[in-house]
Amino acid sequence: MKNLLFLLLFSTLLSCNSENKKSETPQEETTLKNEKPNILLIVVDDQGYADFTPFDNHDTTVATPNISRLGKSGTVYSQAYVTAPVCSPSRAGIITGKNQFRWDKPASWGPGLPDDVKTLPEYLKEAGYHTARIGKNDLGRNFHKNDVREYPLNHGYDEFLGFSAHAHDYWANSKSIQERTPDPYGTSAALGPLMHNMGEKSYEEGYLTDILTDESIGYLKRKHDKPFFLTLSYNSVHHLIHEVPKKYLDKYNVKEIPNYDPDNKLAYSQHEPGSYSAYYDKYSRVGAINTKDLRNYYLANLNCLDDNIGRVLDALKETELDKNTLIVFVSDNGGSPLTGANNAPLTGGKYSLWEGGIRVPMAVSWTGNVDAGKVENRYVSAADILPTLTNAAGITLTDTSIDGINLFEPKDERLLVWKWQKTWAARQGKWKITNAKENHWKSEPSNQYIAPVRDDLTIKLFDIEADLGERNDVSAQHPEIVKQLEKAYNDWCEANITK
């Protein structure tokens, strides 16, 4: 009898423990699901559409296995658009979730960042995130200054290490070369120490892509007592495209070109002795580098970038942060016609509203939350990044002027609009209307460039689903669609652009 009582009591205890475990497990799972993700936003510079290996029809001369890892672990967007075909306004669109010409009526290179336009890091910081930006900061105005709204610490970032300009030399990152250079503070032709919070940080040695990666890995490996938002904004594969470590140059069979030397007074221009701007100008166009070699420099630069992205992904895995980190990868605009980038089969490139200027590589990865290995073919916008990330962080947006939508809540047949200087475009469904005119302005483009079928400011209409290369203008065949889209664009501008 005693044995029977003991067995009954033991069985009851087991049953209670089992019930307790069952009741605890769902609660633990809920906690994990409700935990705010870390966020890593990787922005690269001027990557060509065909140079994105997660796409099935990518250029096979490209070697980017680590960018391909992002495609395999997440969802790739084949029709992702940015809000402008050049860096400054495009990056303003990414960081605000808005078409930047809402406040920048001329739709210029320099939209800036108004005080009353809230940014992604400001939203996330308010939601309890630690926010950091490493790399390029470019909103088109107030370069090299840390007391302006455009500086990262003044629009939501807790930390910043990088530069405020269109571009920065890859090798010349020291205080000593800055002091020897007559013009170190150009908008594109910039060199010297990186800005670091409210001071600066000098690097006597090192390659900038490696430096930005090293600093990002250092950030990831810190002890984090709250979720983080890290924007890693590389300047690769922007000019100066030939500046790449030798092992990559050797791989693509191109020679080293001497780095800028302020003491070499006549090497770049007799009119600007010793100037960095003259050196930058010489090597940021087809000419001093022939078009065949230009492509190989580009591939070398991109290969180096990919290796660095691989190091970042490895650091996430090593620290186990990969289990709950939402990663977004995007290029700030289409590939440049002046660097050897390949946008095939898209017409044009950076500087224009042809597809090659505004359709970009983009991928989103988030273990357990985003479909892995998927290609999403609906059209989306880089303005969607802000509402997507804030939603993932549990933030409810109340600003009705945000143009982006949550990528995880698709919306068909939405209207997208663009305004770039004297040109404009709109897309709805399969139709795109534009008066796009090419404007690569420096020199003849490299061999990869696909010229427009008609390059003027007249209205053109394309069925983008059937003709993504914009080779067949069908405006004459569909005057009603032209009228409808032109009205939609004008109505949007009338309602939303600051008077």
Side-chain angles (χ1 to χ4, degrees):
M1 187 73 176
K2 287 182 180 178
N3 288 341
L4 180 60
L5 287 171
F6 176 79
L7 286 172
L8 287 170
L9 179 61
F10 184 72
S11 175
T12 303
L13 285 170
L14 281 176
S15 176
C16 289
N17 285 337
S18 176
E19 287 296 314
N20 285 339
K21 285 181 181 178
K22 285 179 182 176
S23 66
E24 287 171 7
T25 303
Q27 186 176 3
E28 289 171 0
E29 287 179 355
T30 302
T31 301
L32 285 173
K33 287 181 181 177
N34 292 336
E35 184 183 349
K36 292 179 180 179
N38 301 307
I39 298 171
L40 172 61
L41 172 59
I42 301 174
V43 183
V44 300
D45 213 330
D46 296 0
Q47 185 177 5
Y49 186 79
D51 299 326
F52 188 55
T53 51
F55 289 157
D56 289 338
N57 296 321
H58 66 270
D59 185 327
T60 56
T61 63
V62 175
T64 54
N66 296 297
I67 292 175
S68 290
R69 285 167 64 185
L70 283 174
K72 291 173 184 175
S73 67
T75 295
V76 171
Y77 292 84
S78 66
Q79 295 195 73
Y81 290 97
V82 285
T83 60
V86 297
C87 49
S88 307
S90 168
R91 288 163 186 264
I94 292 170
I95 204 172
T96 64
K98 300 184 181 187
N99 290 314
Q100 68 292 336
F101 50 91
R102 280 178 171 272
W103 65 85
D104 179 34
K105 192 173 182 178
S108 67
W109 278 85
L113 185 61
D115 290 336
D116 61 350
V117 177
K118 197 168 182 178
T119 68
L120 177 55
E122 287 175 323
Y123 280 110
L124 292 173
K125 187 173 181 176
E126 287 178 1
Y129 277 73
H130 186 273
T131 57
R133 185 180 191 97
I134 295 175
K136 177 174 176 175
N137 176 63
D138 178 10
L139 296 170
R141 295 183 188 176
N142 293 316
F143 297 125
H144 317 299
K145 299 176 181 177
N146 60 20
D147 59 349
V148 293
R149 170 71 170 155
E150 288 75 16
Y151 191 65
L153 266 57
N154 299 322
H155 60 252
Y157 287 103
D158 294 308
E159 298 181 38
F160 173 61
L161 174 76
F163 61 93
S164 281
H166 295 318
H168 195 283
D169 196 272
Y170 288 90
W171 292 110
N173 305 300
S174 69
K175 186 69 175 175
S176 59
I177 197 164
Q178 180 193 70
E179 291 173 344
R180 294 166 51 219
T181 300
D183 57 341
Y185 295 113
T187 56
S188 289
L191 53 71
L194 300 183
M195 305 178 83
H196 185 213
N197 295 333
M198 297 306 286
E200 62 182 27
K201 191 170 182 178
S202 176
Y203 299 84
E204 293 298 324
E205 296 181 349
Y207 180 69
L208 187 53
T209 306
D210 295 337
I211 290 169
L212 300 180
T213 300
D214 291 342
E215 297 286 4
S216 296
I217 290 172
Y219 179 83
L220 294 173
K221 289 187 174 181
R222 290 184 198 173
K223 183 178 180 181
H224 298 280
D225 58 2
K226 57 171 68 175
F228 64 77
F229 169 51
L230 172 61
T231 302
L232 173 51
S233 185
Y234 288 107
N235 58 321
S236 182
V237 285
H238 192 286
H239 286 305
L240 294 167
I241 199 70
H242 70 275
E243 293 187 339
V244 188
K246 189 175 185 303
K247 70 176 182 178
Y248 296 99
L249 299 178
D250 291 344
K251 180 176 179 178
Y252 289 95
N253 196 31
V254 280
K255 65 180 182 180
E256 284 185 281
I257 294 174
N259 295 332
Y260 166 71
D261 180 359
D263 296 328
N264 197 349
K265 302 294 186 184
L266 299 178
Y268 321 121
S269 170
Q270 293 183 358
H271 304 291
E272 302 174 84
S275 88
Y276 182 66
S277 64
Y279 177 85
Y280 184 91
D281 187 64
K282 179 177 180 179
Y283 291 110
S284 60
R285 61 174 72 232
V286 178
I289 304 174
N290 67 55
T291 188
K292 179 184 176 183
D293 285 346
L294 196 62
R295 176 64 178 169
N296 288 327
Y297 283 114
Y298 173 92
L299 292 172
N301 200 306
L302 181 59
N303 193 182
C304 177
L305 170 66
D306 182 76
D307 282 350
N308 277 274
I309 289 173
R311 291 205 292 133
V312 173
L313 298 180
D314 290 345
L316 284 171
K317 186 174 183 179
E318 180 186 337
T319 55
E320 299 189 342
L321 291 168
D322 61 322
K323 295 178 180 178
N324 193 31
T325 296
L326 196 172
I327 306 172
V328 177
F329 174 97
V330 68
S331 179
D332 64 348
N333 46 250
S336 170
L338 307 175
T339 60
N342 185 359
N343 293 315
L346 308 180
T347 285
K350 180 180 179 178
Y351 312 116
S352 78
L353 292 181
W354 297 107
E355 290 289 286
I358 54 176
R359 191 189 288 207
V360 299
M362 181 169 152
V364 178
S365 176
W366 185 14
T367 303
N369 295 276
V370 172
D371 290 338
K374 178 182 177 182
V375 176
E376 176 58 72
N377 292 317
R378 64 188 167 87
Y379 61 94
V380 300
S381 171
D384 299 340
I385 291 172
L386 182 146
T388 302
L389 297 185
T390 52
N391 178 265
I395 300 165
T396 300
L397 298 176
T398 58
D399 184 352
T400 57
S401 66
I402 289 176
D403 295 304
I405 63 172
N406 184 355
L407 287 168
F408 306 144
E409 298 173 0
K411 180 180 177 183
D412 294 327
E413 302 294 303
R414 61 193 290 205
L415 176 70
L416 295 183
V417 295
W418 295 267
K419 188 172 187 284
W420 167 238
Q421 298 180 335
K422 294 180 180 180
T423 62
W424 62 276
R427 177 169 178 183
Q428 192 158 35
K430 69 179 184 177
W431 298 109
K432 177 185 173 185
I433 188 173
T434 185
N435 71 336
K437 185 178 188 300
E438 190 54 88
N439 178 27
H440 46 74
W441 56 270
K442 261 195 173 185
S443 68
E444 290 300 312
S446 59
N447 284 347
Q448 291 70 36
Y449 173 78
I450 299 174
V453 290
R454 193 171 79 249
D455 197 24
D456 54 35
L457 291 171
T458 59
I459 296 295
K460 298 163 278 278
L461 179 71
F462 301 98
D463 176 349
I464 290 298
E465 290 182 1
D467 178 27
L468 73 164
E470 296 171 295
R471 312 314 293 171
N472 184 24
D473 174 16
V474 294
S475 56
Q477 294 95 310
H478 298 281
E480 73 288 354
I481 300 294
V482 171
K483 185 176 180 181
Q484 175 187 326
L485 280 179
E486 193 166 12
K487 182 179 186 302
Y489 171 80
N490 288 329
D491 287 349
W492 189 95
C493 291
E494 180 66 26
N496 295 294
I497 294 180
T498 302
K499 302 297 185 288

